[in-house]
Amino acid sequence: MKFRFEVLVSLKEGLLDPQGKAVQNALPTLGWSNVSDVRVGKHIELVVEADDEAAARSQVEEMARRFLSNPVIEDFRVLAAEEA
Amino acid sequence: MKFRFEVLVSLKEGLLDPQGKAVQNALPTLGWSNVSDVRVGKHIELVVEADDEAAARSQVEEMARRFLSNPVIEDFRVLAAEEA
């Protein structure tokens, strides 16, 4: 069976995020002055073939930890799966 | 009131995604050969100050459409808000 997952990778809190800062600084010039705490991270979508959802999810968690994120500076979150 | 939103920006289906391809090609060398359809996009987190959640959300949708995504090649999704 195939399962589609989404992984969100974001910088750990407290770390400087230049890309988020750039977005935040641009917003007031476009008329939006009520926005703060902008952080930019990665969104990864993938399909895993596995016997069941639990196996697929645990593989995705391992891939996220070992490969898709840098655990020193980033946190990740795996969103709920759906059958693909 | 302040509301925290997450915006997911991903390439439209059918468009070539070199970054996703690179991730997908690296996975088998790490022992994961059952992964397909890897797509890499952006994850943006932000806090909006507004009177109510509906106003905040409609502003986030407009920012996503006009500024955070390129509607020619990208789709976006706004995840449920929480009070910040």
Side-chain angles (χ1 to χ4, degrees), chain B:
Chain B
M1 288 165 77
K2 290 184 169 194
F3 301 92
R4 177 181 307 278
F5 287 89
E6 291 178 280
V7 180
L8 304 183
V9 179
S10 50
L11 273 179
K12 282 185 198 285
E13 245 176 90
L15 291 182
L16 192 68
D17 177 1
Q19 208 182 342
K21 212 68 188 158
V23 170
Q24 189 164 324
N25 293 343
L27 287 168
T29 69
L30 295 161
W32 293 299
S33 312
N34 56 345
V35 183
S36 59
D37 298 328
V38 182
R39 312 281 286 171
V40 177
K42 278 178 292 186
H43 167 235
I44 298 138
E45 222 183 306
L46 44 80
V47 173
V48 175
E49 186 153 9
D51 290 340
D52 56 56
E53 187 180 326
R57 170 172 286 270
S58 93
Q59 181 185 332
V60 171
E61 304 251 352
E62 196 191 342
M63 291 192 301
R65 193 173 53 245
R66 287 183 47 199
F67 177 59
L68 299 173
S69 75
N70 175 349
V72 178
I73 57 167
E74 291 172 329
D75 290 322
F76 69 87
R77 224 163 85 220
V78 178
L79 297 191
E82 57 179 50
E83 266 187 62

Side-chain angles (χ1 to χ4, degrees), chain A residues 5-52:
Chain A
F5 287 89
E6 291 177 280
V7 180
L8 303 183
V9 178
S10 49
L11 273 178
K12 281 186 197 285
E13 244 175 90
L15 292 182
L16 191 67
D17 177 0
Q19 208 182 342
K21 212 68 189 156
V23 170
Q24 188 163 328
N25 292 343
L27 287 169
T29 68
L30 295 162
W32 294 299
S33 312
N34 55 344
V35 183
S36 60
D37 298 328
V38 182
R39 312 281 286 170
V40 177
K42 277 178 293 187
H43 167 236
I44 298 138
E45 223 182 305
L46 43 79
V47 172
V48 175
E49 187 153 10
D51 289 341
D52 55 57

